[in-house]
Amino acid sequence: MKFLLALLAVLLIEIALFVVIGGYLGLWLTLAWVLLAGALGLVLLKGIAMMGPVSMSRDMFEFRNAQSLMPHRVLVVIAATLLLFPGFMTDFFGLLLLIQPVRRLIIRKINRKFDDVMATATTGPKSRGSVIVDAEWVEAGDPGKPSQPPSDKTLH
């Protein structure tokens, strides 16, 4: 449901931008912009396709390195796809993704978010302070035997 609402919002924004910006530019410049952006998207997709297939079995390190080609290629494919859609907002974000420093920033932010998720998954949620539990433990024996006194082993 959230996806449909987001898609509807994007479509309404695109229509509003066509009305406002198209009113300033006029019909022919607006059509030229849409056609040129679509042609740029096609050229970019063809260029990425000519670079060779992306192997999805590569190590995840490829995606974590901001200098690696893999995440840049993925973001350029997203940019080209956005340029194929007619609209000023999608064209803006598509052109923005073509700027290499912007792609590096996005890759770093994704990696930081991924690191946070992985840290939470392996160590639990982050807390402000550490909690140290000092306790003694007793090995459980047979229910019929009397219990043994606590050992001098402690957990730290």
Side-chain angles (χ1 to χ4, degrees):
M1 187 64 174
K2 289 181 182 180
F3 176 75
L4 289 176
L5 289 175
L7 182 64
L8 181 63
V10 168
L11 292 174
L12 290 174
I13 291 170
E14 290 288 12
I15 291 170
L17 287 174
F18 264 120
V19 169
V20 172
I21 296 174
Y24 287 120
L25 295 178
L27 175 67
W28 296 111
L29 284 177
T30 303
L31 288 176
W33 175 269
V34 170
L35 291 175
L36 287 174
L40 177 62
L42 282 175
V43 168
L44 287 171
L45 283 177
K46 185 175 180 180
I48 291 291
M50 298 300 285
M51 294 173 96
V54 174
S55 172
M56 287 306 184
S57 63
R58 287 188 185 173
D59 189 18
M60 282 301 290
F61 180 74
E62 288 284 330
F63 287 98
R64 299 181 52 76
N65 183 2
Q67 302 301 321
S68 174
L69 279 179
M70 178 91 57
H72 287 276
R73 285 174 73 179
V74 170
L75 289 176
V76 169
V77 167
I78 292 171
T81 305
L82 288 173
L83 288 170
L84 285 175
F85 293 124
F88 290 106
M89 186 176 72
T90 54
D91 290 346
F92 172 76
F93 287 116
L95 291 172
L96 196 63
L97 281 176
L98 292 179
I99 301 170
Q100 191 172 19
V102 172
R103 288 195 308 263
R104 278 195 205 119
L105 178 70
I106 291 171
I107 293 166
R108 273 191 240 116
K109 285 191 178 274
I110 290 171
N111 286 337
R112 200 172 305 132
K113 186 69 171 173
F114 182 74
D115 288 342
D116 290 345
V117 168
M118 291 307 293
T120 302
T122 57
T123 62
K126 292 182 180 177
S127 62
R128 293 185 184 253
S130 300
V131 177
I132 299 174
V133 177
D134 189 15
E136 293 184 10
W137 59 281
V138 177
E139 291 183 16
D142 290 335
K145 288 186 177 179
S147 63
Q148 300 173 349
S151 66
D152 60 349
K153 299 176 183 175
T154 59
L155 295 175
H156 295 282

